[in-house]
């Protein structure tokens, strides 16, 4: 298990071509709000993700990420602003060698390989530096782009949950993907 002490000594930022995975800052709130206030993004997120997203929502979301000690909660930055987010919640107790992956990139940055590179970077880091043996993500079956970036990174489908989530007044299927060493 990665302790709070170990989290404070992590080798962050992680670099990817043209971007970095770094700690959030309070100054990221404006960019977070700009990219998160998007129905197309919210459709593929948990309902707890704010939509519409205002400045106060963005500040709260970033503050929450900064105060967590149970994993990596990082901004995807391009040198000027945060264009996305990636997190790896690391479990405890009997699942202490597992982490659940979440990620998202602002719509203007879709299709540029940013999510693919970010997932590759955080996965490699978690499996080598943090000694995890399993990383997994649950995505809506309708989110083909998300499924594709996981597959590109060697994640394999392990489960399919028919009517696994309820979003926007309808049941959706959810797919479980995992990368295991």
């Amino acid at each position: 298990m990665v302790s709070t002490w170990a989290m404070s000594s992590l080798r962050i930022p992680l670099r990817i071509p043209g971007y970095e995975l770094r700690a959030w800052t309070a100054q990221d709130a404006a960019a977070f709000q700009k990219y998160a206030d998007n129905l197309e993004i919210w459709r593929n997120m948990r309902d707890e993700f704010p939509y519409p997203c205002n400045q106060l929502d963005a500040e709260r979301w970033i503050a929450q990420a900064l105060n967590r000690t149970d994993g990596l909660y990082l901004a995807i930055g391009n040198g000027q602003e945060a264009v996305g987010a990636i997190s790896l919640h690391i479990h405890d107790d009997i699942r202490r060698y597992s982490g659940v992956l979440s990620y998202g990139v602002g719509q203007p940055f879709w299709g540029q390989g940013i999510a693919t590179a970010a997932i590759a970077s955080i996965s490699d880091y978690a499996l080598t530096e943090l000694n995890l043996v399993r990383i997994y993500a649950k995505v809506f079956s309708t989110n083909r782009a998300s499924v594709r970036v996981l597959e590109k990174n060697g994640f394999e489908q392990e489960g399919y949950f028919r009517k696994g989530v309820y979003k926007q007044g309808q049941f959706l299927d959810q797919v479980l993907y995992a990368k295991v060493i």
Side-chain angles (χ1 to χ4, degrees):
M1 181 173 136
V2 178
S3 68
T4 302
W5 171 84
M7 290 307 218
S8 65
S9 63
L10 294 176
R11 185 180 38 88
I12 304 293
L14 301 174
R15 308 242 182 254
I16 59 177
Y19 297 86
E20 65 181 6
L21 311 184
R22 60 167 174 78
W24 287 97
T25 68
Q27 292 75 28
D28 290 323
F32 183 97
Q33 189 274 326
K34 175 173 64 173
Y35 297 122
D37 190 29
N38 182 315
L39 182 60
E40 293 305 310
I41 289 180
W42 180 80
R43 283 187 173 137
N44 291 302
M45 304 289 281
R46 292 172 173 241
D47 285 344
E48 70 184 1
F49 191 81
Y51 181 79
C53 182
N54 62 39
Q55 186 69 21
L56 184 58
D57 292 326
E59 290 168 3
R60 282 185 192 139
W61 193 264
I62 290 170
Q64 188 179 48
L66 288 170
N67 290 314
R68 303 232 13 202
T69 59
D70 57 351
L72 302 173
Y73 300 86
L74 305 172
I76 302 171
N78 65 5
Q80 291 82 39
E81 64 181 353
V83 301
I86 191 162
S87 66
L88 185 67
H89 171 85
I90 300 172
H91 295 296
D92 60 4
D93 198 30
I94 61 171
R95 295 186 300 154
R96 63 186 166 271
Y97 292 99
S98 295
V100 61
L101 180 68
S102 300
Y103 49 90
V105 177
Q107 190 170 12
F109 303 93
W110 289 358
Q112 298 178 29
I114 299 166
T116 301
I119 291 168
S121 181
I122 203 168
S123 297
D124 180 61
Y125 187 75
L127 295 170
T128 58
E129 302 294 321
L130 302 181
N131 298 317
L132 295 186
V133 297
R134 175 184 176 77
I135 299 170
Y136 67 94
K138 294 178 184 176
V139 298
F140 301 163
S141 63
T142 54
N143 189 348
R144 297 301 310 152
S146 194
V147 165
R148 185 70 187 120
V149 298
L150 290 168
E151 290 173 344
K152 283 182 189 179
N153 276 290
F155 284 71
E156 296 179 11
Q157 183 179 329
E158 289 189 339
Y160 195 91
F161 304 93
R162 292 180 300 142
K163 295 185 178 182
V165 296
Y166 186 76
K167 182 76 176 183
Q168 289 187 281
Q170 63 181 335
F171 288 99
L172 299 173
D173 297 345
Q174 191 176 40
V175 188
L176 171 66
Y177 276 85
K179 186 172 191 172
V180 179
I181 60 167

